[in-house]
Amino acid sequence: MASTPRAIPLTCSGHTRPVVDLQFSRVMSDGSYYMISACKDGNPMLRDGQTGDWIGTFIGHKGAVWSARMSTDVTKAVTASADFTAKVWDTYTGDILASFPHQHIVRGCDFSGDGSRIVTGGMEKKLRIFDLNRDDLAGQPILAADGHTSVIRNVVWDGARNMILSSGDDMEIRVWDPRSFNQVHSCKMDGPIASMELSADGQYITSTTGKSVYFWDAQTYTLRKHIKTEYDVSAVSLHPNHTRFVAGGSSDLWVRIYDFESGRELEVYKGHHGPVHTVSYSPDGELYATGSEDGTIRLWQTTPGKRYGLWQGDGNEDA
């Protein structure tokens, strides 16, 4: 009987402090895709998503970077920082295109579907929308929204439905119409929300609080699945085909893979030397990335032993 290939992650070095946020781009027309990372060292990085090879570092923040996102066409990046700014970058040159001042630490940011606007949230408990085409506003937002009663940790702009999702320590995912910036829906949870992500196909909102993982219908905002674990979950990412999800823990070093339908733990891996703060599946589902307190990003194959990217395979793919 053939043995199961051992999962050997690729290690992406370069950061000097904990890695707290990761995002993959969509698959581009040439089959490539990209990954951006946010780190407490204040230097977000852009990498080749399939290999983890470094492409560039965005230099300009004076504090930890808590969130980093790419526009759909990957021509721009936006970052949220402890230096009280959100910055928009040219991904080809690394130049700062715009810097938006805030009154406190910015924890979350994202682009609108067409990349013309950004949304931010953080320690001020306030959401802001900035228009990248409005030079006349001198860095001021076009809209702002109150409603959160505590720190906003996560912000997602659902481009397909043109809705903004925000969550944090006040135990609610709030859904906002960006045209009026009125709150239109709410998903209540039983504790502070550590992470929130929209699945690759936009079908599910995933969120974590304490030892629980939640999957919400992104169309109706109803709860589709609630899975309890035995550890504090820091982040979750759903595989593009909805068969499995990856989870990281805030109090141990393990990376865990679960069956989506049953919630059963399928695989457990150790590779990091610190808690795992962020996880994300690639857009093609062939790998997932994990970012850790140890300052590294690791890339793991969904199917160990398969030839893909820098992995040479075990020679049994056609067996």
Side-chain angles (χ1 to χ4, degrees):
M1 186 174 70
S3 60
T4 302
R6 182 168 165 241
I8 302 175
L10 301 176
T11 301
C12 306
S13 302
H15 284 301
T16 58
R17 296 282 312 282
V19 179
V20 292
D21 192 34
L22 294 168
Q23 185 211 22
F24 283 103
S25 73
R26 63 181 176 85
V27 178
M28 312 306 285
S29 58
D30 62 358
S32 66
Y33 57 87
Y34 300 92
M35 177 177 66
I36 194 168
S37 56
C39 180
K40 289 186 181 179
D41 64 11
N43 298 317
M45 293 185 181
L46 185 68
R47 297 178 184 272
D48 181 298
Q50 293 181 344
T51 64
D53 289 343
W54 177 85
I55 294 173
T57 301
F58 301 104
I59 304 294
H61 278 298
K62 294 180 172 62
V65 174
W66 286 102
S67 180
R69 293 288 180 264
M70 291 171 280
S71 59
T72 304
D73 61 6
V74 198
T75 61
K76 297 187 291 289
V78 60
T79 51
S81 174
D83 66 7
F84 295 15
T85 71
K87 296 186 189 298
V88 177
W89 312 78
D90 184 313
T91 55
Y92 294 103
T93 66
D95 293 337
I96 298 174
L97 299 175
S99 184
F100 299 103
H102 292 64
Q103 300 303 310
H104 213 315
I105 293 168
V106 191
R107 291 295 301 258
C109 58
D110 203 2
F111 282 102
S112 60
D114 64 2
S116 67
R117 291 165 292 163
I118 63 166
V119 61
T120 65
M123 299 291 281
E124 293 178 82
K125 313 171 196 173
K126 181 191 293 283
L127 291 166
R128 293 176 172 90
I129 295 176
F130 298 91
D131 190 326
L132 304 183
N133 298 321
R134 292 286 301 276
D135 295 333
D136 59 305
L137 294 177
Q140 295 304 305
I142 56 170
L143 287 171
D146 297 299
H148 280 280
T149 58
S150 192
V151 177
I152 300 169
R153 298 189 182 275
N154 314 286
V155 177
V156 172
W157 198 315
D158 180 353
R161 299 171 188 85
N162 195 28
M163 289 290 174
I164 290 171
L165 314 172
S166 60
S167 65
D169 289 359
D170 58 6
M171 303 187 291
E172 270 185 79
I173 297 174
R174 299 175 191 264
V175 185
W176 309 81
D177 184 335
R179 295 166 296 183
S180 62
F181 230 171
N182 291 327
Q183 184 177 325
V184 293
H185 289 286
S186 175
C187 306
K188 297 184 186 300
M189 296 170 64
D190 57 7
I193 300 169
S195 70
M196 178 183 69
E197 179 184 283
L198 192 64
S199 63
D201 62 358
Q203 188 172 332
Y204 288 98
I205 303 163
T206 65
S207 58
T208 64
T209 179
K211 296 178 170 62
S212 292
V213 180
Y214 295 82
F215 296 90
W216 307 85
D217 187 308
Q219 185 71 41
T220 63
Y221 308 109
T222 54
L223 183 62
R224 294 285 294 274
K225 195 177 290 289
H226 174 206
I227 295 170
K228 286 252 185 190
T229 71
E230 297 179 354
Y231 60 96
D232 288 328
V233 189
S234 57
V236 159
S237 184
L238 182 62
H239 191 279
N241 68 10
H242 303 168
T243 58
R244 52 176 55 202
F245 64 91
V246 57
S250 58
S251 56
D252 62 24
L253 315 179
W254 304 96
V255 177
R256 295 173 171 88
I257 307 296
Y258 292 84
D259 178 77
F260 177 62
E261 204 53 50
S262 66
R264 183 170 57 90
E265 188 178 278
L266 300 175
E267 303 160 25
V268 182
Y269 299 116
K270 184 178 178 183
H272 285 291
H273 302 291
V276 178
H277 295 308
T278 177
V279 299
S280 184
Y281 268 106
S282 64
D284 60 3
E286 291 287 349
L287 61 84
Y288 54 94
T290 56
S292 167
E293 181 75 17
D294 66 15
T296 68
I297 301 164
R298 294 178 192 261
L299 303 182
W300 309 75
Q301 282 185 285
T302 300
T303 308
K306 183 177 180 179
R307 183 183 292 272
Y308 183 82
L310 296 180
W311 289 280
Q312 295 302 307
D314 60 7
N316 296 324
E317 293 126 281
D318 301 322

